[in-house]
Amino acid sequence: MQEFLYITFGWLLGLLGNPVITKIENHYKRKNIKVGIFSELEILCVRLAASCYRIQMHLGTRNKESIIWIKTIYRKYRTGCPEDVIEALDKMLKVPDEQFNAFVEQTKAETDVGLKLKTFSMPFTESVMGQLGIFKSEFQRKIFEVVAQVNILNEDIETATFYHRLTFDASSATNNMNIIKGNLTVSYNDIVDRCKIIVNKIEEAMNR
């Protein structure tokens, strides 16, 4: 009986022709590709939020609004997020503003200390870029925007890395060193801003 059903189904597909078969194949292909892209984007969101937190802690620019944002991202996209992480963020939010600001100031890094930042990649998404034509143009555009923004972010990270290396140059005069450190701080802030832009782009792509 089961064999008969397979034969009948194959015969019907033959009658329907290649356009219908292609449409069915594309339906399942879209589903599988979208699952892969979304999984990668969720992981990327968490990494971006973590980078923002790390940089803001380093600079001493954390505020309660940014912590609420990071907590939201962790809740949404970090599968199995340890409760102690959320609890730690909640405790920070409950601290009176004066104590919170004092804590932020105390935990920021020294001005001569830099961060080692890693660039970001989207291996799965980049591997299926040539197949995005089976999706609606609006979805394609949103994914292209995310990829483009990640490339810009990586350029921002390379810029910060360049200035970080210059801080180790003993030959730089005091005035030059102050300029270098100032440029490094600007680069870090650019990275934070870019991370938030990308998260917003990702949420638009995922309709969340």
Side-chain angles (χ1 to χ4, degrees), residues 78-118:
R78 185 172 176 178
T79 304
C81 180
E83 279 303 315
D84 57 347
V85 173
I86 301 298
E87 288 174 5
L89 294 175
D90 282 335
K91 285 181 180 178
M92 293 184 69
L93 292 171
K94 292 176 183 177
V95 171
D97 290 346
E98 188 175 342
Q99 292 180 28
F100 177 87
N101 294 334
F103 174 75
V104 168
E105 185 65 24
Q106 290 170 4
T107 54
K108 75 176 183 180
E110 298 294 332
T111 56
D112 57 346
V113 176
L115 282 171
K116 289 184 179 180
L117 300 173
K118 294 182 179 181

Side-chain angles (χ1 to χ4, degrees), residues 2-193:
Q2 188 175 17
E3 184 178 352
F4 172 75
L5 290 174
Y6 284 141
I7 294 173
T8 303
F9 183 66
W11 175 72
L12 286 172
L13 287 178
L15 290 177
L16 292 172
N18 289 332
V20 175
I21 294 174
T22 300
K23 190 172 183 179
I24 294 172
E25 289 176 344
N26 284 344
H27 169 76
Y28 288 104
K29 189 181 291 185
R30 277 194 300 271
K31 184 178 179 180
N32 291 332
I33 289 175
K34 186 172 282 191
V35 167
I37 290 176
F38 281 12
S39 295
E40 189 166 71
L41 293 181
E42 288 178 356
I43 294 171
L44 181 59
C45 271
V46 173
R47 287 191 60 206
L48 292 167
S51 293
C52 285
Y53 184 84
R54 186 181 172 208
I55 292 172
Q56 289 179 321
M57 182 173 68
H58 179 86
L59 297 176
T61 56
R62 280 178 299 175
N63 55 46
K64 291 187 176 182
E65 183 180 349
S66 66
I67 290 177
I68 291 172
W69 178 78
I70 290 165
K71 177 186 169 184
T72 302
I73 298 301
Y74 269 52
R75 278 290 194 196
K76 275 186 180 180
Y77 304 118
R78 185 172 176 178
T79 304
C81 180
E83 279 303 315
D84 57 347
V85 173
I86 301 298
E87 288 174 5
L89 294 175
D90 282 335
K91 285 181 180 178
M92 293 184 69
L93 292 171
K94 292 176 183 177
V95 171
D97 290 346
E98 188 175 342
Q99 292 180 28
F100 177 87
N101 294 334
F103 174 75
V104 168
E105 185 65 24
Q106 290 170 4
T107 54
K108 75 176 183 180
E110 298 294 332
T111 56
D112 57 346
V113 176
L115 282 171
K116 289 184 179 180
L117 300 173
K118 294 182 179 181
T119 54
F120 295 82
S121 63
M122 301 173 64
F124 178 80
T125 302
E126 291 175 357
S127 73
V128 297
M129 291 291 277
Q131 302 179 57
L132 292 184
I134 63 176
F135 291 91
K136 292 181 179 179
S137 59
E138 181 68 10
F139 180 76
Q140 293 180 51
R141 181 184 63 78
K142 289 177 179 179
I143 297 302
F144 289 148
E145 284 181 355
V146 172
V147 173
Q149 288 295 328
V150 169
N151 289 334
I152 296 173
L153 172 62
N154 287 335
E155 291 176 4
D156 292 338
I157 291 172
E158 291 295 337
T159 299
T161 301
F162 169 75
Y163 286 123
H164 180 214
R165 287 174 184 157
L166 288 181
T167 62
F168 294 98
D169 186 357
S171 64
S172 297
T174 302
N175 288 340
N176 287 340
M177 186 58 70
N178 289 335
I179 293 173
I180 290 169
K181 290 179 179 178
N183 288 337
L184 180 57
T185 298
V186 170
S187 296
Y188 286 152
N189 284 320
D190 287 344
I191 292 169
V192 170
D193 291 341

